[in-house]
Amino acid sequence: MHAKSFADTYLYNRYPNYEKQMVQFIMTAERLDLDDPAFENILIDFRRRQTSSALLSVLKSKNVILCMAGKPLSQQFKTLTCKDIKYEKNPNAIPKTFIDVTDIFSKGESGNYECSHTDVLIARVIAAMTNTIYYRDPKRILYNGSAESVGATAYAKLFCHVLEYIHKISTIPGLKERATYMCAMFYLVNMISLDESRASIFARKISGISEREEEIINMLAGKECYENIKFFVEALETTLKVGNLTVDMVVEKWMYLYGITTVFALELYPSFAQMLTDAYVGAYINNQKTIEKVCGREMVDFTKIILNVGGSAV
């Protein structure tokens, strides 16, 4: 399967400044050497508080680069995996994961570095671990045990909560179930590239709809409905018959409910995974209380899968 990047998403391509920001950061940011004794206190605290013994290995991996910059990355990109355009000329080289620590690292008067929020660093390293596995061996993390079902259930609950906020879908019999089916299908087909026939089995089970209801939904939604977030929202509007529903409306309410760091969780698996693992860590990076309220059980189960896969992969 093809591991998707930000460049493969509809929302990222709407704003060309994202690309410029990333390039500038990678080219100009200071790259930190954690073997420097000045980072010893940070590493000691990290080792003491990490949620998995694998995380220290991720933090010190040669493929994970901690950076500080005069102009930090936007909150959505604090953990970023891409080609190292500054030093790597081979187009087939293994991508690097960059962690922006500008907002949490500082140098004290003694010359030693300090971390103001170790939990935030832990959350970003978990995201780096997820990214590393996803971009090297995506099947290992996407199709591990109950990963497909747990992820699809969480995504459907989170998206339906947005629809409920906009259009009160629970007030019309059967509407929430149809929305749940479509949201689960979008996650399974678009975000983790599961075969549609297998995805429909998961989606029907998660939503509780019948095969006949599924046929009606598919007929109304059209074949391209899971191709990108724009087509998906248009298909939701047509199929659910809820009135005006646009991508901008969904994005606005999603960020309002879950936090600005979560916007790409609508379309990209690593961002969605980070949304749940950030909430699990509990560092208030996003609106974790709302996320926990909407899909608390799935959030915990999903993160445990990530940590278990990461522990055996690192």
Side-chain angles (χ1 to χ4, degrees):
M1 66 161 291
H2 167 64
K4 296 182 179 180
S5 67
F6 286 109
D8 294 311
T9 67
Y10 172 80
L11 295 175
Y12 180 86
N13 285 294
R14 287 181 67 182
Y15 301 99
N17 284 338
Y18 285 148
E19 187 85 14
K20 295 177 183 177
Q21 180 187 155
M22 290 181 181
V23 170
Q24 182 182 13
F25 179 84
I26 293 169
M27 295 299 292
T28 63
E30 176 190 359
R31 302 184 179 202
L32 307 180
D33 178 9
L34 293 184
D35 290 329
D36 186 326
F39 293 99
E40 184 177 356
N41 289 338
I42 289 178
L43 293 176
I44 290 172
D45 194 36
F46 184 92
R47 186 182 292 109
R48 180 174 60 85
R49 297 171 64 176
Q50 64 182 338
T51 53
S52 165
S53 59
L55 296 183
L56 186 63
S57 298
V58 175
L59 181 64
K60 301 191 74 173
S61 167
K62 64 180 180 180
N63 293 313
V64 174
I65 304 169
L66 269 63
C67 300
M68 295 180 71
K71 188 174 183 180
L73 286 168
S74 298
Q75 290 295 324
Q76 301 95 323
F77 306 120
K78 288 298 186 182
T79 303
L80 168 68
T81 300
C82 61
K83 179 183 173 183
D84 186 355
I85 56 174
K86 186 172 183 178
Y87 294 115
E88 185 56 68
K89 305 304 179 185
N90 181 0
N92 298 317
I94 294 173
K96 304 287 188 182
T97 297
F98 298 87
I99 301 178
D100 181 8
V101 294
T102 308
D103 57 335
I104 57 174
F105 276 23
S106 61
K107 202 167 189 178
E109 293 182 2
S110 64
N112 293 325
Y113 282 89
E114 300 170 355
C115 178
S116 58
H117 297 286
T118 302
D119 287 343
V120 173
L121 177 60
I122 289 170
R124 291 177 188 172
V125 173
I126 293 175
M129 181 174 70
T130 305
N131 282 16
T132 298
I133 301 168
Y134 177 77
Y135 287 109
R136 289 194 187 183
D137 186 9
K139 291 181 180 179
R140 184 168 191 169
I141 201 166
L142 298 181
Y143 312 139
N144 183 286
S146 60
E148 304 104 311
S149 180
V150 171
T153 302
Y155 184 85
K157 284 184 175 182
L158 290 162
F159 205 118
C160 283
H161 186 63
V162 171
L163 295 176
E164 178 69 20
Y165 193 88
I166 298 172
H167 280 304
K168 303 293 181 186
I169 59 172
S170 63
T171 61
I172 302 173
L175 203 62
K176 186 173 182 179
E177 289 76 11
R178 293 196 289 274
T180 298
Y181 169 83
M182 292 183 69
C183 292
M185 282 293 288
F186 182 79
Y187 174 86
L188 293 165
V189 174
N190 180 281
M191 291 175 62
I192 70 169
S193 302
L194 198 65
D195 176 80
E196 284 201 35
S197 60
R198 181 168 166 76
S200 70
I201 296 172
F202 282 116
R204 284 201 310 272
K205 185 175 181 180
I206 291 167
S207 63
I209 70 167
S210 67
E211 290 187 33
R212 176 58 182 158
E213 289 174 302
E214 179 184 48
E215 290 175 5
I216 295 171
I217 291 171
N218 291 340
M219 181 180 66
L220 292 172
K223 292 183 179 180
E224 297 182 337
C225 65
Y226 304 123
E227 193 169 306
N228 62 43
I229 192 70
K230 179 178 183 295
F231 291 168
F232 176 58
V233 172
E234 290 172 353
L236 282 172
E237 183 182 40
T238 301
T239 307
L240 302 181
K241 297 181 174 62
V242 290
N244 185 41
L245 187 67
T246 66
V247 171
D248 288 344
M249 193 180 296
V250 169
V251 169
E252 178 188 349
K253 297 306 179 187
W254 181 281
M255 289 195 296
Y256 171 76
L257 289 167
Y258 307 130
I260 60 171
T261 65
T262 69
V263 61
F264 289 103
L266 278 162
E267 291 187 90
L268 187 64
Y269 174 84
S271 296
F272 177 72
Q274 184 170 359
M275 174 181 177
L276 296 187
T277 57
D278 280 356
Y280 177 88
V281 170
Y284 293 96
I285 297 168
N286 52 34
N287 296 351
Q288 63 189 49
K289 289 186 177 179
T290 302
I291 295 167
E292 185 174 4
K293 180 181 177 182
V294 174
C295 63
R297 179 178 176 182
E298 291 76 21
M299 177 195 74
V300 173
D301 291 346
F302 186 94
T303 302
K304 286 182 178 179
I305 291 170
I306 294 284
L307 294 174
N308 287 338
V309 174
S312 63
V314 173

